[in-house]
Amino acid sequence: MGFRLTPQDTSFFTLFTAQAQLLVEATRELTRFLEVDLTKRQMVADRLKDLEHAADEATHELISKVNSSFITPFDREDIHNLAASLDDCMDLIEETGDLIVLYHVGDIPEGLAEQFEILGRMAEVTAEAMPRLRSLKDLKSYWIEINRLENQADALHRKQVAKLFTNSPDPVELIKIKAIVDGFEDAADAFEKVAHVVEGIAVKES
C-alpha cells in the first residue's frame, strides 16, 4: 500500500480528473460526426487528434509525477495502470474516429449515434468519479454504472454487427463499417477497464 498524501496535496487527483475531462470533450466531439457534412469530418478528426495529444501530455505528466514523488496517494503501479487505462480510452476514440474519415464512410452507420451516447455517458461518469479517488468513498456506484453501460454497449454492438452481416451487400463496405463499430466497442471496454482499476484500488486501500 502506498503512503497517503497530505490533505493539501491534491495534484494527482487533479491530473486524473483532467484526463477524464478530456474524454468528456472527446465523446462530445464524436457527436459532430452525426451533424457535419462530409467536407467537415476532417475537422472533427483533427479536433480529436488535438484532444488525444492533450491526453498524452496529461498522462506523461502523471507518470513523471509518480516517478519523481517520494509519497504517492496509493500504489505506484495502480497509478500507472489508471493513467494508462484512461489514455487507452482516448486512443481508441481518436483512432476509430479517424477511420470514419480515412475510410471515406458515406452515411454514418445506423446505431452509431446510440453508441456515441453510451460512450459520452461513460466519460461523464468517469470524470465525476475521479475527484472521489482522494477519499476513496462513494465509488461503488461508479463502477456499477460503468458495468451497466458496458453491457448496454455490448448488446448494441451485437445488434449492429448482426445487421451488417444481414443487410450489407458490399463486403468491402462491411469490413470498413465493422472496423468502426468494433473500435467504439473497444473504447467502451476500455472505460470498463478504468472502472476495474478504480475498484481494485478501492479494495486494496480499504
Side-chain angles (χ1 to χ4, degrees):
M1 182 183 297
F3 293 101
R4 291 215 177 267
L5 290 173
T6 60
Q8 292 76 24
D9 189 347
T10 60
S11 53
F12 277 101
F13 310 112
T14 299
L15 288 168
F16 280 131
T17 301
Q19 264 193 304
Q21 191 57 46
L22 287 168
L23 290 171
V24 173
E25 293 182 44
T27 54
R28 287 174 180 167
E29 194 67 28
L30 277 180
T31 62
R32 295 191 61 217
F33 279 122
L34 306 171
E35 302 165 356
V36 302
D37 59 37
L38 288 171
T39 62
K40 295 182 180 178
R41 285 184 184 172
Q42 184 62 58
M43 294 173 60
V44 179
D46 289 344
R47 173 60 179 155
L48 287 174
K49 177 64 72 176
D50 290 341
L51 290 168
E52 190 269 336
H53 287 324
D56 279 344
E57 290 176 5
T59 302
H60 293 319
E61 187 175 355
L62 254 169
I63 300 305
S64 177
K65 185 167 182 62
V66 171
N67 294 337
S68 62
S69 296
F70 178 70
I71 298 175
T72 58
F74 34 81
D75 188 84
R76 293 172 187 273
E77 183 178 356
D78 289 333
I79 295 175
H80 277 272
N81 286 341
L82 182 53
S85 296
L86 287 164
D87 194 50
D88 286 344
C89 294
M90 180 65 80
D91 287 344
L92 287 163
I93 290 170
E94 185 277 321
E95 290 170 8
T96 311
D98 199 34
L99 290 182
I100 293 176
V101 177
L102 293 176
Y103 285 173
H104 302 288
V105 174
D107 295 332
I108 294 295
E110 185 178 352
L112 213 56
E114 190 175 351
Q115 205 165 19
F116 290 171
E117 183 179 345
I118 293 171
L119 286 175
R121 182 57 186 153
M122 293 179 102
E124 289 170 357
V125 172
T126 301
E128 291 166 1
M130 289 302 103
R132 303 203 296 271
L133 283 170
R134 183 178 180 187
S135 65
L136 294 173
K137 295 179 180 179
D138 303 319
L139 282 167
K140 186 175 181 180
S141 60
Y142 153 64
W143 60 71
I144 288 174
E145 176 64 3
I146 288 292
N147 180 256
R148 185 190 72 81
L149 290 166
E150 199 278 331
N151 288 339
Q152 189 177 339
D154 276 348
L156 176 62
H157 177 256
R158 289 192 295 271
K159 290 179 182 178
Q160 286 179 296
V161 172
K163 187 172 291 187
L164 273 175
F165 281 105
T166 301
N167 300 331
S168 180
D170 183 347
V172 174
E173 194 67 16
L174 184 151
I175 291 170
K176 290 179 180 180
I177 301 304
K178 186 174 184 300
I180 291 167
V181 298
D182 284 352
F184 288 127
E185 167 63 8
D186 289 343
D189 290 342
F191 275 106
E192 187 177 44
K193 181 182 176 184
V194 171
H196 287 164
V197 174
V198 170
E199 183 177 6
I201 292 169
V203 170
K204 187 184 296 185
E205 298 292 323
S206 62

